[in-house]
Amino acid sequence: AMEDVSAKFVSQKISRARWRPPPHAALQPPDVFATGSWDNEDNRISLWSAGDLGNVGLSGEYHGEPHLLCDIQHNGDVMDMQFLDQERIVVASSTGTVTIFRHHQNNQTLSANHRWEKAHHHVDQNTSCGGAACTGVVCNNPEIVTVGEDGRINLFRADQKDAVRTIDNADSSTLHAVTFLRTTEILTVNSIGQLKIWDLRQQRNEPSQIFSLAGDRVPLHCVDRHPNQQHIVATGGQDGMLSIWDIRQGTMPVSLLNAHEAEMWEVHFHPSNPDHLFTCSEDGSLWHWDASTNVSEKPSFLHQGGRSTTYLSHSTINQSVVSAWLSNDPTKDRMEITNLIPNQTLSVNSLDVLGSCLVYGTDAEAIYVNRQLFA
Amino acid sequence: MEEPDTDPPLVVVPGADPSARQLCFEWGPAEVLVCETRFGRKGGSRTHPVPSRSPSRPQSHPIPTPIPSQSRALTGCVADAAGAAPGSSRVFVVHRDQDIYIQTLRKLFNESHGIFMGLQRSEEELAGKSRKAQLVQVSKNYRSVIRACMEDMHQAAVSTRDPALQGQYSTQVSILSAMELIWNLCEILFVEAAAAGPLLLRLLDWVRLHVCDVDSMVREVLSSESPSKHKLFWNVVDVFVLQGRMDEARHLLSKEATANPTSMTMYKILDDLMKKMPMPSLGNTQTLTELELKWQHWHEECQRFLQDGTFASNPHMESICKILLGDEDAILEKKELMTTWYHFLVTRLLYSHPTVKPMELRFYAQSSMDMFLGGESSPEPLDMILMAAFEFEMHQVIKECSIVLSNWWFVAHLTDLLDHCKLLQSHNLYFGSNMREFLLLEYASGLFSHHSLWQLGVDYFDHCPEYGRVYLELHIERIPLSTEQKALKVLRICEQRQMHEQVRSVCKIMAMKALRNNRLGSALSWSIRAKDAAFATLISDRFLKDYCERGCFSDLDLIDNLGPSMLLSDRLTFLGKYREFHRLYGEKRFPEAARLLLTLMTAHIAPCSFWMTLLTDALPLLEQKEIIFSAEQTYELMRCLEDLTAGNVDKQKFQEDDVETTKVEMLRLALARNLARVIVKEGTVEGS
């Protein structure tokens, strides 16, 4: 419901919003998130408290808009960012630089902890190299992988000064996003509609597998992997289409789902409830895809072995049942899709989901927090 | 038709000295360039104003922003500071909408953009009453955004320690407050168009909301231990009475009454009078005539008590009774408690003309202002704007606001709302289209001059039917494309509006950038997106040139996956096919490779300049142990070679270039040998 959404106008266009990961799988709702801005003369990384905990109403609902904890200036547009751990955020810049910022929680300040200058750059014979936008970053502490407009893939370690591995010219078109498939393998998407798997253990500078869209090679802008079933991958394209891939088979997507009317900027499986998926787009909408209606008709494993049923989460079910995302039958039509933002006109650039909480940021210079996603 | 202002406001450009040098200027879509000429000034006026279309800046406030101020803080900035040496000229950039650069106001721009879009989408078909309710709600939404912004600005003013900054924030608070005051009055008079009766109630609300100078006094008295002993007690009672807050006034009076049992009867009578005062109602429960009758009756009752000296012993109560009777002198005595002439106007209406009709307002407004100011001070711009509103001179309100306020936001949004109320239809300007569109264009142009707010401007242009498109086309081309991501956003805007020219231009810029950075793959995908065949050809040639120089292809991942986009240009098709030849060759599928190679030439897919390379590529196939080219194919290859050498006779190239001659000789030899082998083989096969 709309009442559960709190909004704040922040006087900067938001390119990224990320929840801080909870300390060791804690059950309490996430409380702090980070945002990055773009297209400002003075871009910033900001940390926000999601709402005033002192204002919890009688029925447990939260009030109050997010409030700023601390912020720091950032050189260039924030293209992507991710929490490395509870205290550190890795930020990709349009200048090609990758920076780790540290959040000092005792005195609420942010500082630049480490910086890889021009991790992404163009190599020009005539001039010295100019920075190329770093478009995507993904972390698996201590490893950090970045991709960029220069088609380069970098592998860093948070504690090492130089890149552990660099694949120059890994892609001849722009790499738009990256994510981990397994600890040593990554997935990238590019501007000619390709999804590639790279095995970082191999010294070959070639992808181990290439998948691609048929027809008009529509650029892909975002990618996410199913948290439990690693072979299921979702990507979002320039035409707003959601593609689901099964990387065990074929070179083309398993299903193409008509979605937004413009670029899909981000796609996220819900980390603990992966029958739910969230996408946001340049067209100003944010969609909640609920495939759980399909699963509920499958035989339930909930009551097996007399174990406590309440403790079994959806994720355990999913490992034993064919995923709702791959089913090819017409029940797909019964997937429930809800647009969470009616009447928005400007782009929703980023979203993040954790527990029952959703945060998103827009070009209309506002951040929104929805605390009751599944209410 | 409206006449232009005869007296444009002055714009001071800091740093420019019109007394020393003559200035010249040039209008741009988002700013004015002012340039010092080499001509000195001889005599003439010392001040040399830049003609201005209004809210550029009447004065140059330094703008409160944490941004390093050089570029934005001043009205104009020196674009070329390098030429500061004597004798050289400088160029100043003068932005047209000063407030666009105030950080805190960005909230106003963004949030009101949403309201604006909602209004454009709203159902015009809704019938009379519900349509009006809808428009009033929109108006209230706009006002609540102004108020929220005002609160933020106030917070900023309170929390900053820098006195200069504090001053700027306070100035902004008072500007926003004035904007809300004007908007609220326009809402009552124009949007809601309140009728006699409810009109007074609305005006009372308006005064209560905006006359806040006395609030602290009220708080102080009410929170004191015994309010009736406070020296400002009667002032507060008066404030309540003047604002028509009868219940609150009676509540306070009852405290005084219990403390003064001797004058109990007097209090009772006054309390009774105040209780019985007839008020207009919002519902249709009573007609105006009924109200007037009741009011007349009550008025006479008050008159009676005043004349028989009931309150003679208490001057405070006597004066209240006089106020209830609408005695202008008695009301004017409380000037300090009202602080403004429009408060006086509303109080006067409340106690003398509660059923005032909208069209009668102008008379009372004018006389109230004259009486209140009493020749002591002259009306300020705000007074003139409010007066114009009371006179229902909507265009005057908008015009004055355009001149006085330092932003286009206010007039653009207010005018748009009034236009949706169908109040501005008949008005045409001597320039451009109508006033609504003119103001929206100005506002949106201001947004486009901002490095970040330009995206908001797009939707405003969309809702300007006449010139919006042209403005958008001009502005969108000037957005710097710093990253591909930003270019994609710009591109989306252009594509959605079928702005083909701009789509091509954005793609071309991005393709050029990629090309310069040696990112052939990216360059190609940009030109494919724009369906720019010429550029795709150019890039294909670069690929082929690279191949000729290095002997191998770069960006195979792209060339191998061209798909249908290969058909965009002939050269691109050739590139794709040629790469296919290499793949077939690599896979040792020689007959297929040979067939493809030959087709590339005979079907004229390959450019002539590339034929020699293709023929050279045929050499190893001719030298294979088994025979690959048939007799017929060999003849065709020979013809290709002869065509090529014959075509080049004029240029004398083949004769002079030893390497080329050797190549041709080798090819001829290889072709002849292959022909011999094939004739033998084919003859043997046929003969056996």
Side-chain angles (χ1 to χ4, degrees), chain B residues 505-518:
Chain B
S505 141
V506 169
C507 288
K508 191 157 250 168
I509 290 167
M510 294 313 286
M512 276 309 286
K513 264 190 190 173
L515 204 59
R516 222 175 293 131
N517 291 322
N518 251 331

Side-chain angles (χ1 to χ4, degrees), chain B residues 149-159 169 173:
Chain B
C149 214
M150 216 157 85
E151 266 156 44
D152 280 6
M153 201 74 91
H154 180 71
Q155 273 307 314
V158 169
S159 56
Y169 287 140
V173 169

Side-chain angles (χ1 to χ4, degrees), chain A residues 194-258:
Chain A
Q194 294 173 326
L195 169 71
K196 297 182 181 177
I197 303 179
W198 304 80
D199 188 339
L200 296 174
R201 288 167 305 186
Q202 293 191 359
Q203 284 312 304
R204 242 160 33 101
N205 287 346
E206 304 272 314
S208 51
Q209 248 179 306
I210 299 180
F211 303 84
S212 80
L213 293 172
D216 290 337
R217 278 56 175 176
V218 177
L220 294 173
H221 285 294
C222 50
V223 56
D224 195 25
R225 188 212 64 197
H226 194 288
N228 310 316
Q229 293 166 294
Q230 297 181 332
H231 57 279
I232 301 174
V233 171
T235 62
Q238 186 156 286
D239 52 358
M241 192 89 86
L242 173 69
S243 312
I244 306 287
W245 313 68
D246 182 347
I247 56 164
R248 296 171 306 186
Q249 46 186 297
T251 56
M252 299 216 292
V254 180
S255 52
L256 288 168
L257 300 162
N258 248 320

